């Protein structure tokens, strides 16, 4: 067996190192993308709050509420005759030296079990200093912080022991934290520590403490929030993982093509082995070993390459996580054996599955038919009608699968529909090559005629090659249409929804789960400026609804009625705004409505402060700023339950005849020296586009890898075709064809492969985009996207791919022109 593998498999692979290398690189890139995306997702999804959780110490339960808990509750709980310890916490973020966001934690520094590097004097602990992780400074350093919109300067009193942390952290005494975060009399969380003998009864203690809490408070075991974030991010990581498998799927076509060519080129040797007693099982195992070689070697190379790709991918994935989900900082990339096993196993499994059909074909070759080189291609031509019928069946199956509801929050029906459409397009490749090749043969002279007939005469190989490139083009087209449609829909939404002239928010990094505030005195000062018609204060809080993260926000319904153009997808706009002003109604975003199956007229019970009031859903509006969803009520209602008047954002409406340049200067003077960013209407649009493009950069990167693999596959497969057609090319040279004609013929073949692939890819990609937009996107994120065809960007991308296929044919053409016809015919 080993001798057979050595002579029939390994020796030809070494002799055809160019084709073998291309196939290995294709599998390696596919495995590398999967491994890199897993490592990057794991690193980028590490929450900022992990450091806060690490220093929780022995605490077992947390109590929290939207907008914070009253300090009095801590006193009431501490007086209960229970063997429990209660610790208050304030949590926020600080911008360090104007560069990066770092978690800020307010604790009782004397009661909290923080370990310091060295023992700082008690006087330092009382001097309103801060305690920082080692990467932020050393004892005695002065650090510039921005907390909400306030610029502050602190002295480092001590450095926290790095062994306690999984990221950067700033800690200060809880009294100082109350003052700088404007939470006087309120705390964010109360941590509860159980006795050692009660550690196993956390759930029982949660239920026992619940009656002592106000209606709007939440009590849960420590770590529940981390688990919720994990579940929330799992859908995003799942979609990213599915997208990364595209590159490996393209590699599977190349494996199939490589093994298929190996079988065709070694039919004589296979026939000899069968004639001297070789069994079918022996031949199948031999060619599967070739697939294992590609899978294992390519996979190992992919793991090494993926580790380096992860460095760049973590930045792209991290930007997306922060824009759509939670405040996060990329932790150090660690080699994960589970992710490596999944990536390597995927490469090996894909290689074996792709090689199974050619290996079975090798085992079924009768010795008497071993020299019938064109029989397989003839059979494929005869079966092209059956393949077209099967393609139609798969397309219909894709239509049915796209109607299925999501399973466990994941659009499995949509994923299966995309696979069915890709398979359907692949089955159309033989017929397209055969019939389109005949039509194009009349153009371009004899070289074009020979190129079309050569591809049609080698359908077994050319159809797989076209299918591979078409699959990559289909994904590029579908994702391009989806992203382009999303971008255009978002811009239309911004034009319709964003009507104010100026928008203000605290400087620094932003994320969907953190909402820094602007002092109320700044809002009042801007409101009093000449030319300002109104200032709409927007306050947001991160809450949980049915166990999922949601943003609860309040705005000025009266200002919207006068100056805005709030457009609702469902519900009457006037009724919704009047209901919000009356304090009995809210409006919700479309993602919230889709995730929680809420419709107009339903009632929501919301945890606001320590209360849980109920509101009528008066309208549903389109929103593309957060997948988590928004619940919007009037600011006057929010202040009944949460007296803090500070806003997360300000929208400023100005008079039509006001000098906008002078007014902007006056607004900037009003908030100086606070750290606030002001956007004009047009600048906000540009910022939104920048964030959008940043968010989808990882998608474009994955597409580029898939296209690169496919174009490389064209080069490798074309080279294999040239080697397999040595006798044909030698005969053409004997009949008078010169090198220029041979080169033109090969380049025509490359051009036809690119053209046929683009025809299949664009058609199937258009259908895939419908599944992505109306099924996968809707079920994953809850966003309704209007279909838009980005013609210019698609044409430029397709032109680039087409040129790439032509360039991929240059080296095989060079090899073909350098063949010595005398030696080739002598070999025959």
């Amino acid at each position: 067996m080993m001798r057979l593998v050595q002579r029939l498999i390994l020796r030809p692979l070494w002799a055809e190192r160019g084709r073998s290398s291309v196939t290995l690189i294709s599998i390696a890139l596919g495995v590398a993308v999967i491994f890199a995306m897993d490592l990057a997702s794991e690193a980028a999804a590490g929450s900022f709050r992990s450091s806060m959780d690490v220093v929780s110490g022995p605490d077992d339960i947390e109590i929290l509420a939207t907008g914070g808990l009253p300090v009095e509750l801590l006193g009431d709980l501490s007086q209960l005759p229970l063997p429990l310890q209660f610790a208050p916490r304030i949590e926020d973020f600080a911008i360090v030296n104007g560069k990066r966001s770092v978690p800020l934690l307010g604790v009782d520094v004397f009661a909290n079990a923080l370990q310091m590097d060295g023992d700082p004097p008690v006087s330092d602990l009382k001097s309103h200093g801060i305690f920082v992780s080692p990467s932020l400074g050393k004892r005695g350093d002065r650090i510039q912080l921005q907390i909400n919109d306030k610029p502050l300067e602190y002295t480092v009193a001590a450095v926290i022991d790095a062994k306690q942390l999984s990221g950067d952290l700033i800690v200060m005494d809880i009294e100082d934290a109350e003052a700088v975060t404007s939470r006087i009399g309120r705390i964010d969380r109360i941590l509860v520590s159980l006795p050692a003998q009660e550690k196993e009864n956390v759930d029982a203690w949660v239920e026992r403490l619940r009656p002592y809490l106000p209606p709007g408070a939440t009590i849960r075991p420590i770590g529940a929030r981390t688990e919720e974030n994990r579940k929330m991010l799992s859908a995003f990581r799942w979609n990213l993982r599915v997208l990364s498998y595209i590159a490996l799927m393209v590699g599977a076509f190349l494996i199939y093509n490589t093994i298929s060519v190996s079988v065709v080129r070694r039919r004589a040797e296979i026939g000899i082995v069968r004639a001297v007693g070789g069994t079918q099982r022996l031949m199948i195992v031999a060619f599967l070993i070739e697939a294992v070689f590609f899978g294992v070697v390519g996979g190992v190379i992919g793991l090494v390459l993926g580790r380096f790709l992860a460095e760049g991918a973590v930045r792209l994935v991290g930007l997306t996580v922060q824009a759509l989900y939670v405040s996060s900082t990329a932790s150090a990339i660690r080699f994960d054996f589970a992710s490596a096993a999944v990536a390597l196993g995927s490469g090996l499994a894909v290689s074996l599955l792709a090689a199974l059909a050619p290996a079975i074909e090798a085992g079924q070759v009768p010795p008497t038919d071993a020299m019938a080189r064109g029989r397989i291609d003839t059979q494929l031509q005869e079966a092209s009608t059956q393949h077209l019928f099967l393609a139609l069946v798969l397309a219909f199956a894709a239509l049915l699968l796209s109607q299925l509801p999501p399973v466990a929050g994941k659009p499995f029906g949509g994923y299966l529909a995309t696979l069915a459409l890709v398979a359907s397009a692949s089955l159309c490749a033989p017929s397209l090559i055969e019939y389109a090749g005949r039509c194009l043969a009349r153009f371009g002279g004899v070289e074009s005629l020979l190129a079309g007939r050569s591809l049609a005469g080698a359908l077994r190989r050319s159809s797989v090659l076209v299918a591979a490139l078409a699959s990559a083009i289909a994904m590029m087209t579908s994702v391009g249409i989806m992203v382009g449609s999303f971008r255009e829909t978002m811009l239309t939404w911004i034009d319709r929804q964003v009507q104010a002239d100026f928008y203000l928010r605290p400087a620094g990094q932003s994320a969907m789960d953190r909402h820094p505030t602007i002092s109320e005195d700044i809002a009042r000062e801007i409101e009093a400026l000449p030319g300002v018609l109104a200032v709409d204060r927007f306050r947001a809080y991160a809450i949980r609804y049915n166990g999922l993260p949601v943003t609860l926000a309040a705005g000025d319904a009266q200002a919207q009625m006068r100056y805005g153009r709030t457009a609702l997808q469902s519900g009457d706009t006037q009724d919704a705004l009047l209901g919000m002003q009356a304090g009995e109604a809210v409006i919700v975003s479309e993602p919230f409505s889709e995730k929680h199956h809420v419709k107009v007229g339903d009632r929501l019970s919301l945890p606001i402060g320590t209360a849980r009031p109920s509101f009528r859903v008066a309208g549903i509006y389109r929103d593309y700023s957060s997948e988590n969803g928004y619940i919007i009520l009037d600011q006057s209602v929010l202040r009944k339950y949460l007296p803090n008047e500070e806003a997360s954002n300000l929208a400023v409406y100005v008079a039509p005849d006001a000098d906008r340049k002078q007014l902007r200067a006056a607004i900037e003077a009003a908030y100086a020296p606070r750290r606030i960013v002001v956007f004009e209407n047009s600048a906000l649009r540009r910022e939104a586009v920048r964030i959008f493009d940043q968010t989808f950069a990882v998608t474009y990167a994955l597409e580029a890898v898939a296209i690169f693999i496919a174009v490389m596959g064209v080069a490798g497969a074309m080279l294999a075709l040239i080697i397999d057609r040595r006798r044909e090319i030698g005969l053409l040279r004997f009949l008078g064809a010169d090198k220029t004609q041979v080169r033109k013929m090969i380049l025509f073949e490359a051009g036809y492969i690119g053209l046929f692939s683009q025809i299949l890819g664009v058609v199937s990609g258009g259908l895939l985009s419908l599944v992505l937009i109306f099924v996968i996107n809707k079920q994953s994120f809850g966003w309704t996207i209007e279909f838009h065809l980005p013609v210019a960007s698609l044409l430029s991308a397709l032109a680039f791919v087409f040129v790439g296929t032509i360039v991929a044919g240059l080296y095989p053409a060079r090899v073909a022109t350098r063949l010595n016809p005398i030696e080739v015919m002598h070999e025959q």
Side-chain angles (χ1 to χ4, degrees):
M1 181 65 191
M2 294 307 299
R3 186 172 299 174
L4 175 67
V5 170
Q6 178 188 357
R7 297 186 178 182
L8 188 65
I9 305 297
L10 297 182
R11 186 180 293 174
L13 286 180
W14 178 254
E16 300 169 9
R17 291 185 290 275
R19 180 169 62 89
S20 301
S21 299
V22 169
T23 306
L24 277 176
I25 293 173
S26 300
I27 290 296
L29 280 175
V31 171
V33 168
I34 294 173
F35 188 46
M37 286 301 106
D38 265 356
L39 292 182
S41 297
E42 186 65 32
S47 174
F48 255 142
R49 300 185 182 273
S50 60
S51 293
M52 299 181 178
D53 292 335
V54 167
V55 297
S56 295
D59 302 309
D60 306 287
I61 298 171
E62 62 179 354
I63 303 169
L64 62 158
T66 305
L69 298 161
V71 174
E72 294 77 18
L73 178 62
L74 177 63
D76 295 340
L77 292 174
S78 299
Q79 294 177 14
L80 292 175
L82 300 173
L84 306 175
Q85 293 182 358
F86 299 93
R89 295 279 286 270
I90 287 180
E91 298 175 358
D92 212 315
F93 292 83
I95 310 297
V96 179
N97 296 326
K99 295 180 180 179
R100 51 177 172 154
S101 293
V102 174
L104 172 68
L105 187 61
V107 301
D108 185 339
V109 293
F110 295 102
N112 198 79
L114 282 174
Q115 296 180 6
M116 306 294 177
D117 286 339
D119 295 321
V122 175
S123 59
D124 286 354
L125 297 179
K126 295 181 178 180
S127 64
H128 305 288
I130 59 174
F131 315 98
V132 302
S133 51
S135 61
L136 297 179
K138 60 183 182 299
R139 184 177 168 189
D141 287 351
R142 300 288 292 177
I143 295 182
Q144 302 290 331
L145 301 182
Q146 177 196 325
I147 301 173
N148 292 324
D149 62 347
K150 305 179 186 71
L152 303 165
E153 185 173 328
Y154 285 92
T155 300
V156 176
V159 176
I160 305 170
D161 186 0
K163 296 177 182 178
Q164 295 188 92
L165 302 176
S166 61
D168 291 333
L169 181 65
I170 298 172
V171 178
M172 64 172 57
D173 188 67
I174 193 164
E175 291 185 3
D176 294 338
E178 281 187 62
V180 298
T181 60
S182 302
R183 290 181 173 88
I184 303 299
R186 303 190 76 81
I187 50 181
D188 290 322
R189 286 200 289 168
I190 297 176
L191 301 183
V192 185
S193 179
L194 302 177
Q197 64 272 20
E198 296 290 337
K199 296 289 186 181
E200 302 298 324
N201 302 320
V202 174
D203 292 336
W205 277 102
V206 166
E207 295 305 318
R208 187 172 177 182
L209 286 172
R210 198 181 301 277
Y212 298 102
L213 304 180
T218 299
I219 181 170
R220 60 191 181 187
I222 289 288
R225 178 179 55 194
T226 305
E227 179 67 15
E228 289 167 353
N229 283 345
R230 187 191 65 78
K231 291 179 179 178
M232 178 181 62
L233 291 170
S234 66
F236 164 73
R237 296 177 67 181
W238 176 267
N239 287 336
L240 200 61
R241 186 176 293 112
V242 169
L243 192 59
S244 69
Y245 276 89
I246 295 171
L248 193 58
M249 184 178 68
V250 174
F253 281 104
L254 302 182
I255 286 285
Y256 178 94
N257 193 67
T258 298
I259 305 298
S260 180
V261 169
S262 297
V263 173
V264 172
R265 295 195 69 241
R266 302 171 203 169
R267 289 176 68 85
E269 291 92 334
I270 294 171
I272 293 171
V273 172
R274 293 296 311 282
V276 296
T279 63
Q280 290 187 9
R281 179 180 298 178
L282 184 69
M283 301 312 303
I284 292 173
V285 170
F287 281 96
L288 286 180
I289 288 176
E290 181 177 358
V292 170
F293 168 80
F294 283 121
V296 172
V297 177
V300 171
I301 296 172
L303 293 182
V304 177
L305 183 61
R307 176 60 183 80
F308 292 103
L309 285 179
E311 298 288 347
V314 70
R315 179 176 176 273
L316 299 178
V317 177
L319 292 172
T320 304
V321 170
Q322 182 147 315
L324 291 180
Y325 298 98
V326 294
S327 299
S328 62
T329 184
S331 56
I333 296 176
R334 297 181 177 86
F335 189 91
D336 183 68
F337 285 99
S339 298
V342 169
L344 188 60
S346 300
L348 184 58
V350 165
S351 300
L352 286 172
L353 288 174
L356 190 59
I360 293 175
E361 175 194 329
Q364 294 176 343
V365 173
T368 55
D369 294 338
M371 301 306 295
R373 297 169 58 89
R375 183 179 178 187
I376 299 295
D377 297 304
T378 303
Q379 291 175 344
L380 190 59
Q381 290 174 338
E382 294 171 351
S384 60
T385 303
Q386 298 176 1
H387 289 166
L388 283 177
F389 176 75
L390 184 56
L392 185 62
V393 171
L394 286 173
F396 182 71
L399 177 63
L400 296 179
L401 288 168
S402 64
Q403 308 301 314
L404 296 177
V407 179
K410 295 181 175 65
F412 286 108
Y415 293 142
L416 292 175
T418 60
L419 289 177
L421 285 174
V422 170
S424 176
S426 301
L427 288 171
C428 294
S431 296
L432 178 64
I433 293 172
E434 189 176 359
Y435 296 118
R438 291 177 185 174
C439 296
L440 293 172
R442 66 190 70 176
F443 304 103
V446 66
E447 295 89 355
S448 173
L449 174 66
L450 290 174
R453 289 185 176 179
S454 295
L455 292 177
L459 278 182
R460 187 76 169 186
R461 288 155 285 172
S462 59
S463 61
V464 172
L465 184 58
V466 168
L469 187 54
S471 298
I473 292 173
M475 289 302 174
M476 180 196 74
T477 302
S478 60
V479 174
I481 292 174
M482 188 271 289
V483 174
S485 299
F486 195 179
R487 196 173 192 267
E488 192 67 24
T489 302
M490 185 197 67
L491 293 177
T492 303
W493 167 73
I494 289 176
D495 291 338
R496 186 169 56 240
Q497 296 290 105
V498 179
Q499 296 300 315
D501 298 277
F502 296 101
Y503 293 87
L504 287 77
R505 67 167 176 83
Q509 294 176 338
S510 59
M512 296 315 304
D513 66 332
R514 59 179 296 256
H515 307 284
T517 59
I518 299 174
S519 301
E520 176 59 20
D521 57 344
I522 293 176
R524 292 197 187 100
E525 191 170 344
I526 294 174
E527 205 167 26
L529 292 174
V532 173
L533 298 176
V535 175
D536 184 357
R537 297 161 176 82
F538 186 83
R539 181 60 191 263
Y541 293 94
I543 70 169
R544 302 278 166 174
Y545 186 85
N546 289 343
L548 294 176
V550 179
T551 301
L552 173 67
D556 189 343
Q558 187 174 4
Q560 281 293 316
M561 290 180 68
R562 289 184 179 179
Y563 309 108
R565 291 191 305 178
T566 301
L568 296 181
Q569 186 180 13
S570 301
D572 181 73
T573 302
Q574 193 73 9
D575 171 67
L577 293 175
L578 289 174
M580 291 171 67
Q581 277 191 293
E584 57 89 19
V586 297
I587 60 174
V588 301
S589 66
E590 182 188 22
F592 176 85
S593 171
E594 290 289 332
K595 284 180 179 294
H596 300 280
H597 309 290
V598 171
K599 59 184 182 298
V600 174
D602 291 350
R603 298 198 68 84
L604 303 179
S605 178
L606 303 177
I608 307 178
T610 55
R612 188 174 282 274
S614 177
F615 299 93
R616 172 177 63 93
V617 177
I620 300 171
Y621 70 98
R622 285 188 179 179
D623 177 70
Y624 302 101
S625 62
S626 171
E627 182 215 335
N628 299 340
Y630 273 89
I631 304 171
I632 310 290
L633 43 76
D634 188 67
Q635 60 182 356
S636 62
V637 180
L638 186 65
R639 286 175 182 169
K640 290 181 181 178
Y641 305 97
L642 298 172
N644 193 337
E645 294 185 348
E646 294 188 341
S648 305
N649 304 79
L650 299 178
V652 182
Y653 296 89
V654 305
D657 57 348
D659 188 325
R660 297 172 66 90
K661 187 175 181 180
Q662 290 185 359
L663 193 53
R664 173 165 183 157
I667 291 173
E668 291 174 347
Y671 64 70
R674 303 296 181 95
R675 297 293 303 277
I676 295 175
V677 179
V678 57
F679 295 99
E680 293 190 37
N681 195 303
S682 57
L684 185 66
R685 177 189 175 100
R686 290 195 298 271
E687 178 71 2
V689 171
R690 183 189 68 81
I691 293 174
F692 180 91
D693 292 338
Q694 208 175 57
T695 300
F696 283 93
V698 64
T699 304
Y700 296 131
L702 290 174
E703 285 184 63
V705 171
I707 292 293
F708 179 69
I709 292 174
V711 172
M712 284 186 60
V714 171
M718 288 286 297
L719 185 60
L721 287 172
I722 297 304
I723 295 172
D724 193 40
R725 290 161 50 201
R726 291 160 58 89
R727 184 180 65 170
E728 174 190 325
I729 295 171
L731 186 59
L732 287 174
R733 294 294 306 279
F734 266 115
L735 294 176
D738 58 24
K739 291 185 177 181
T740 301
Q741 289 178 308
V742 172
R743 182 183 297 107
K744 287 176 65 177
M745 181 185 73
I746 302 303
L747 292 180
F748 265 115
E749 289 184 25
Y752 287 159
I753 288 172
L755 180 61
F756 299 155
S757 301
Q758 296 212 6
I759 293 173
L760 272 183
V762 170
V763 173
S764 58
L767 296 175
L768 283 173
S769 69
L770 299 178
V771 177
L772 286 175
I773 291 173
F774 298 110
V775 180
I776 294 177
N777 167 76
K778 185 74 172 177
Q779 294 181 3
S780 296
F781 304 105
W783 290 325
T784 295
I785 298 176
E786 297 173 0
F787 186 86
H788 172 75
L789 193 63
V791 177
S793 61
L794 277 181
L795 287 179
S796 60
L798 292 173
F800 175 78
V801 174
F802 184 73
V803 171
T805 57
I806 299 293
V807 172
L810 289 176
Y811 180 70
R814 182 166 176 249
V815 172
T817 57
R818 296 176 67 179
L819 290 175
N820 189 324
I822 297 177
E823 291 182 2
V824 171
M825 299 307 293
H826 178 71
E827 290 176 3
Q828 295 297 328

